[in-house]
Amino acid sequence: MNAYIDIILLALIVSNLLLLGFSQIRSCINAVAFQGVALGALPLLAAAGGVSVWAALLGAFTIGLKGVIFPRLLLHAYREADVRHEVEPYIGFTASTLAGFAALAVSAWLCSRLSLFGGDLSSLAAPVSFFMVFVGLFVIVSRKKAISQILGYLVMDNGMYVFGVVMLREMPLLVDLAVLMDAFAAVFVMGVAVYHINREFDHMNVDQLDRLKG
């Protein structure tokens, strides 16, 4: 089981690096959708004492929300806004990818210094969860489009999910489900905000929202 968890964690690393290098917003949404499906398998592989009904329920709920519903909401906002690319981000895509590699190295070094994050299932779990939180924060501060910033929020949430499921396996199921529902509410509210921003300003560049001060 540990080998399968490592494969999923490596796939999450690759998807995050691709996310940093993608200029097309649709490709970024697909990368986050892939993460949602991959994350759905973690509760089944990390469950203590074998696969349980609760683990299967959490996995199915995760795939449904993060792999299907969130991407569909974002694709709907993407089509309504008619935005194809993240034009002129604060930090270019090549530099963003290099920053991703740096964040991965820093995460691995940080977790190697803290024995608390050793983990009995996979030594990659803690570094990958920290790495995903860094990537999410980086996307939020380096992109101009509101929909890209929602993707950054989701990547951060995915990183915390990895930490909770793999590192804290005894976390009660209801807490996991509550976190997922919070993420759903946040994405729904942000999707509505994106729609209204685009309708009011004919763009989604958050750096131009100072026009609201009028």
Side-chain angles (χ1 to χ4, degrees):
M1 289 292 184
N2 293 8
Y4 292 117
I5 292 176
D6 285 342
I7 291 172
I8 290 175
L9 295 175
L10 290 173
L12 291 174
I13 292 175
V14 173
S15 67
N16 278 290
L17 293 174
L18 291 174
L19 174 68
L20 292 172
F22 284 148
S23 64
Q24 292 190 348
I25 292 178
R26 187 183 185 91
S27 298
C28 295
I29 295 174
N30 290 335
V32 174
F34 168 79
Q35 290 185 11
V37 175
L39 291 174
L42 285 181
L44 302 176
L45 298 172
V51 177
S52 64
V53 174
W54 295 109
L57 180 61
L58 178 59
F61 200 70
T62 301
I63 293 174
L65 272 183
K66 291 178 174 290
V68 179
I69 295 178
F70 289 172
R72 289 182 66 87
L73 286 174
L74 293 172
L75 285 172
H76 176 72
Y78 161 83
R79 286 191 293 267
E80 290 292 327
D82 194 25
V83 175
R84 295 289 180 269
H85 297 84
E86 173 66 51
V87 181
E88 297 180 354
Y90 294 115
I91 300 176
F93 300 106
T94 301
S96 296
T97 304
L98 294 176
F101 280 108
L104 181 60
V106 170
S107 300
W109 175 82
L110 180 63
C111 293
S112 69
R113 307 290 293 180
L114 302 172
S115 58
L116 175 65
F117 298 136
D120 58 343
L121 278 179
S122 172
S123 59
L124 291 177
V128 170
S129 62
F130 275 70
F131 168 63
M132 294 181 72
V133 171
F134 286 146
V135 169
L137 283 172
F138 184 85
V139 170
I140 289 173
V141 301
S142 65
R143 302 295 189 255
K144 293 182 179 179
K145 301 297 183 188
I147 197 168
S148 297
Q149 300 191 346
I150 296 174
L151 291 170
Y153 167 81
L154 286 177
V155 172
M156 282 183 60
D157 183 68
N158 290 345
M160 290 184 281
Y161 180 91
V162 170
F163 192 88
V165 170
V166 180
M167 303 296 294
L168 307 174
R169 288 186 293 164
E170 302 303 325
M171 178 181 290
L173 173 67
L174 290 179
V175 176
D176 290 333
L177 295 179
V179 172
L180 289 175
M181 288 308 298
D182 287 343
F184 172 73
V187 171
F188 181 77
V189 171
M190 287 188 285
V192 173
V194 165
Y195 171 75
H196 286 287
I197 289 172
N198 185 68
R199 188 180 65 174
E200 187 70 22
F201 296 96
D202 293 329
H203 61 73
M204 291 195 302
N205 291 349
V206 295
D207 60 327
Q208 298 181 30
L209 292 183
D210 55 351
R211 292 171 56 185
L212 285 171
K213 296 177 180 178

